[in-house]
Amino acid sequence: MFGVGMCVGAVAGGALMEISGFKETFIISGSLLFFTLPVSFAILRKFAPQSHTPSAPVNSKDCSPPPTAGANDALWPATGHKTITLWTLLCSPSIALSILALVSAAVSLGFVMGVMEPHLKQFKLTPFLIGLMFLYPSLAYVIASPTLGYAYDRLQSPVSLLFIQYVAPVLFLITFSIIGPAPFLPVAS
């Protein structure tokens, strides 16, 4: 949903900017964002847990919760632990690596968004066309994320993991060098 929002937001923001101007665009976007609060509250209230049982304290030495009685027996079948806490999840290497990859991707996308608009000014494009240019990285994200995730889930091979961990960052590096452009490349901006 994040990628879809970025796709729609870039094009809609560019169109609003061209039609109504800078101030009105931010008033409209801020108002829409403000009115999502009661809608989100109403939707999330339906999914609120009926009862809350406090989780047991976490053993900080091995990042695992102590065994407790509960309904989540299937979550820790090998260790007999019954409860998962946030700290337990963060101590998992696969979860921590996934969070690191997600943060890196968000920083990379933020870099592209911050650098692209001043770079596009030299072409004297309209705000709508600049918004359309912001659509492409988001659209690539929207298409690649579920496609690669599905492929990885189906393959479950060391080669696919190798690609995600080593080849994808190299592709990011090459792409960012071209976007820049890097000073060592004989490419005009």
Side-chain angles (χ1 to χ4, degrees):
M1 292 309 291
F2 171 73
V4 173
M6 288 187 61
C7 288
V8 172
V11 176
L16 276 173
M17 185 82 77
E18 198 166 314
I19 293 169
S20 62
F22 186 79
K23 182 179 177 183
E24 290 80 6
T25 301
F26 282 95
I27 290 172
I28 291 169
S29 343
S31 299
L32 286 173
L33 187 61
F34 180 76
F35 287 117
T36 60
L37 177 67
V39 173
S40 298
F41 183 72
I43 291 171
L44 292 176
R45 193 169 187 173
K46 292 178 185 176
F47 297 104
Q50 299 301 322
S51 65
H52 176 68
T53 56
S55 56
V58 176
N59 183 349
S60 61
K61 290 183 181 177
D62 65 357
C63 288
S64 61
T68 58
N72 298 329
D73 293 345
L75 295 176
W76 296 93
T79 60
H81 292 163
K82 316 288 187 208
T83 305
I84 293 180
T85 63
L86 179 61
W87 180 250
T88 307
L89 288 175
L90 292 176
C91 287
S92 166
S94 61
I95 300 289
L97 195 60
S98 297
I99 290 172
L100 179 65
L102 187 62
V103 168
S104 299
V107 167
S108 301
L109 195 56
F111 169 78
V112 169
M113 297 298 176
V115 169
M116 198 157 70
E117 192 273 332
H119 178 70
L120 290 173
K121 276 187 178 179
Q122 67 183 337
F123 301 112
K124 300 191 181 1
L125 300 172
T126 65
F128 178 72
L129 289 177
I130 289 176
L132 211 55
M133 296 308 251
F134 278 93
L135 169 73
Y136 297 120
S138 304
L139 192 60
Y141 171 79
V142 165
I143 293 169
S145 184
T147 305
L148 292 175
Y150 179 79
Y152 179 71
D153 282 346
R154 293 291 171 242
L155 295 175
Q156 289 289 323
S157 71
V159 174
S160 61
L161 184 60
L162 180 74
F163 175 79
I164 290 172
Q165 288 182 337
Y166 297 108
V167 176
V170 170
L171 291 175
F172 262 113
L173 180 68
I174 292 169
T175 304
F176 284 177
S177 296
I178 293 170
I179 288 174
F184 53 82
L185 291 176
V187 178
S189 67

